[in-house]
Amino acid sequence: ATIRSIFLCLDRTYVIQTSSVQSLWDMGIRLFQTHLTPRTALLTKMTGGLLRVIETERQGDTINRGLLKSVLEMCSALSIYADAFEKPFLEATRVFYSAEARQYLDQEEVSSYLKYADRRLAEENNRVVQCLDVPTRKPLFACVEAELISNHVDAVLAKGFDDLMKAKRTEDLRRLHGLFDRVNATDAVRSAFNTYIKCTGMELVSDVQNDSAMVQSIMDFKDELDLVVHQAFDDPPAFVESQTEGFEHFINSRNNKPAELVAKFVDARLRSGGQALTEDELEVLLDKVMVLFRFIRAKDVFEAFYKKDLAKRLLLSKSASAEAESGMITRLKQECGSAFTVKLESMFKDMDVSDDIMTAFRKSRTKKVEGKEIELGVRVLTKGSWPNYPQMEVLLPAHLDELHTEFTEFYLSRHNGCRLNYEHTLAQCTLRASYPSGRKELVVSLLQALVLLLFNQVDSLTFTEIAQRTNIEQRELKRVMSSLCSSKQKLLRKSKEGEPEAFWYNDKFSHKSKKVRVDQVQIRETQQENAQTNEQVLQDRGYAIDAAIVRILKARKQLGHTMLISEIFSELKFPAKPADIKKRIESLINREYLERDDDNSQIYKYVA
């Protein structure tokens, strides 16, 4: 630089005016390059020295970066940078990080390895900025990323991805996603994410002992994943779709049970006396439930159990909020269409119509039964809109029987051609009772009331006598007697084990409240009710498959077996097996709705 300054005037005058003459700087560079290039041993020594200096820095020691930068600038000026430094440097980098990364991954946790890789990439970037030529950045980072990330994608995911997810380490997951995104390996992260969802979800769904908490567990799991997708992965569509596919897979892996449990979960939240929630909390909860509902394929199972539980909430006055009930129906209607909710909406309409009927009935009454003022409330239900209940003809006390007759005559006088069938299993009563401890009002089911009224005349009865005097079916009577003799509200006393089964009026009954709600067995689902609901779903599915087959063949006249099965699957709104569809086809052939082609048994024809 000093020599160049001395002869600066010469460069600016003579050299500029004489094209064949080089500047002192250019001539010096050419002469230096001419003498240095043949000296391979010197170049090798220089390269080795440079690489040792860089490796020393990578190992944590401090170096003279100014000297390193000057030597590399000299190489660049002499046009020997690529051959003398860059190629050996990239190879040395590959060897260094190949060994270090493998050792670090074996010895440390994945979260530590991710921080290590992130730190090394930052160090290399800083080295490029301060010392190396800018064009070296691309091949250097390609080399470092390959050794630190690309070559260990599967190992990193296998060793620690699930642990990071379970521990909700969003910061580490974000770092992992960012590193893998540098090498276009986010598909591997998405695949691991999908696998984690399926495996964890299968554990939740397959745990039969935890059925009561399954829905809440799945909702909590969904919230955790939403947080990860948002905070760690920045909500990319691919991850959202992967999450949806994972949930659909594990929720539908256990046939119809999740759909049933989601319906029961909603029932528990909409039923009064359950978990106390504010309106806003309930709205948020129902929105989350609808997210799970979208994943469910067996929506007909959800509908059946939801309708059964809704009927009990309405008929037993157990609904916590009319607005919440209406909001849930609106959500279902928006999701599945009006056909899905038409019967549910009809149930609410029946309740309103029943109120009007009872208002008119009370105005029309001109007498009291046996001089006693008994208030009667009847819900007139459209049979096709409500669940089917087992018929049970019980023996009513005379004054109740007269009330039934009076209402029946009133209703039929205004609705010619109709018929009333009383469903006693869901009826409720309020009894006034006198105990030595004071007067009480007992809120009981009709069947419980029939049993208690028997003890107005006698102090003790056997199980057989109670069954004969009430005509209650034995299985149901056992449930009723169990509830009346429960330790919580002991309205009756039961004989000890080993003695003849008998029941006594409990004159020592006491309660702090004047109005006592006795444990009502109606609200609890029995195994028989559950089996009947599932059986009804299967029966309705059979009808739906029959209708789809006939509808398709009526339009197409004839169709091959494979094509028919394919079109049936596209029409059905619930999961079905090919074997079940084949049985329905055989049934329709036997009933002469269809026939096989004479020449090809794999072709079906519609019989007009």
Side-chain angles (χ1 to χ4, degrees), residues 95-107 113 116 147-149 152:
V95 172
F96 177 83
Y97 283 121
S98 175
E100 186 181 68
R102 191 180 302 109
Q103 181 181 8
Y104 207 98
L105 186 58
D106 290 341
Q107 295 176 353
Y113 180 82
Y116 151 76
E147 297 304 327
L148 296 182
I149 307 170
H152 303 288

Side-chain angles (χ1 to χ4, degrees), residues 370-434:
E370 295 184 359
K372 298 178 181 179
E373 185 177 354
I374 301 176
E375 186 175 347
L376 177 71
V378 180
R379 297 296 186 185
V380 182
L381 314 178
T382 306
K383 187 173 180 62
S385 300
W386 293 74
N388 293 324
Y389 299 103
Q391 291 291 322
M392 186 183 298
E393 294 296 332
V394 297
L395 297 177
L396 298 174
H399 49 285
L400 287 180
D401 197 39
E402 288 181 16
L403 268 177
H404 272 207
T405 302
E406 183 182 350
F407 177 80
T408 301
E409 291 173 353
F410 164 79
Y411 183 81
L412 296 181
S413 67
R414 298 192 172 200
H415 301 83
N416 291 329
C418 294
R419 185 175 66 179
L420 289 179
N421 291 321
Y422 286 94
E423 301 286 358
H424 299 301
T425 55
L426 288 177
Q428 283 184 296
C429 292
T430 300
L431 298 179
R432 293 191 180 95
S434 297

